[in-house]
Each structure stands twice: as C-alpha cells, then as structure tokens.
Amino acid sequence: MKTEIQHPTLGKIEYNESFWTGRKQLYINGTQLNKTARKTYVLPDGRTAILNGNFLLGATIQLDGQVIRLSPAIKWYEILLAVISFALILTWGNVVELCLIVPVVGGAIGGFLSALISMAGLLLMRTVKPAWAKVLIGIATIGVCFGVCAGVGFAIVAAL
C-alpha cells in the first residue's frame, strides 16, 4: 500500500508498506530514509523520524516534535462493518432456530471464514476514499460472508 502526502516544510513524503510482509519504507522528496531501528528512520541531514502505526490502523511519523499523519486513522464505521459480518455468523451459527431457516457453518470453521472475509473487507475499505464506497464495500462483505458460510453450511447438511 502506498500513500503520498505533501508537507509544507518537508515536501513530498511517500510511505510504502508491503501487504504480505509488512515491510515499511519512507521517502522524503524521492530520497529513501535509512532504517536504524524497528520504527526509527534517519533523514539525510541526520534528524531522526519515528514511524508509528501501519496502513490498516493509520500511520504517523514524529519528526522535530510534530506528528505528521501519513495515512488516515481507521474510522468507527469501518470497524463496525467488519465486526458485523463476524458477529452475524457467530450468532447465526449458534442459534438452532436460525440454522433451520438457513444452515450456516459456525464454530471454528465459520469463525475462521468470517474473520478472513471481514479482514479482506476491512483492507478493501481502507483502499477507497469516499465514505459511501466504504459502506458499500462493508455491506457487500457482510453479504459475501453470509453467502460463503451458508454455502458451506448447505454442503455440510447435504453430506449428512
């Protein structure tokens, strides 16, 4: 995931974070900063910058006593939409009366699938800017999660 911001005194700041490894890189005006510790980077002029957070939760750097936001913080509705699909499957899969209507896999399999789909939806929500698009992705994630878990639930019932 890559974000770019324009800072009034530092210029263009680029923040890259690998989706797979979590490896982070900082660039200021096209010059890559040297990493000296886990969260500490050194600018070409010798000043140190401390990187906090990540793409998912929101990244900031501390430099010369000021905090510069590199990626926006996670919003409450993004968390809520991600948790709803997980909670829906956990609840639906454990209520017998609901499973008689639509059998949904619950337990460890349902929890794993719903957590995986919820995290994918959360990551997708973080890549778009408008709030309406984030809400649409969240609602689609809830539908996909329910559909996948219902499909597995129907397959298990048919196998019995």
Side-chain angles (χ1 to χ4, degrees):
M1 311 294 170
K2 180 179 179 180
T3 58
E4 293 182 6
I5 64 163
Q6 191 67 33
H7 191 266
T9 57
L10 295 172
K12 185 169 115 178
I13 302 173
E14 296 176 48
Y15 169 65
N16 294 328
E17 182 178 341
S18 171
F19 172 75
W20 299 106
T21 63
R23 183 173 169 230
K24 301 171 186 176
Q25 298 173 327
L26 272 176
Y27 297 87
I28 294 183
N29 293 324
T31 305
Q32 185 174 1
L33 303 184
N34 294 326
K35 189 174 187 177
T36 59
R38 186 172 155 249
K39 298 186 333 181
T40 306
Y41 293 82
V42 177
L43 280 72
D45 61 5
R47 296 182 292 169
T48 61
I50 299 172
L51 177 64
N52 292 313
N54 56 28
F55 178 76
L56 187 62
L57 300 175
T60 61
I61 58 172
Q62 294 176 339
L63 179 64
D64 297 332
Q66 68 180 24
V67 176
I68 303 167
R69 178 147 304 276
L70 300 175
S71 64
I74 193 167
K75 305 284 191 289
W76 65 270
Y77 55 87
E78 294 171 342
I79 296 170
L80 180 68
L81 288 168
V83 169
I84 283 175
S85 60
F86 183 72
L88 174 69
I89 296 305
L90 286 180
T91 305
W92 196 289
N94 287 315
V95 176
V96 176
E97 290 80 15
L98 292 175
C99 283
L100 291 174
I101 300 169
V102 176
V104 172
V105 66
I109 297 170
F112 174 74
L113 289 174
S114 61
L116 189 68
I117 294 169
S118 295
M119 287 304 296
L122 186 60
L123 286 171
L124 281 174
M125 282 188 270
R126 298 291 292 154
T127 60
V128 297
K129 294 224 187 259
W132 62 267
K134 293 178 186 227
V135 171
L136 242 94
I137 290 170
I139 292 171
T141 300
I142 294 168
V144 167
C145 184
F146 189 81
V148 167
C149 289
V152 173
F154 277 117
I156 291 172
V157 168
L160 298 176

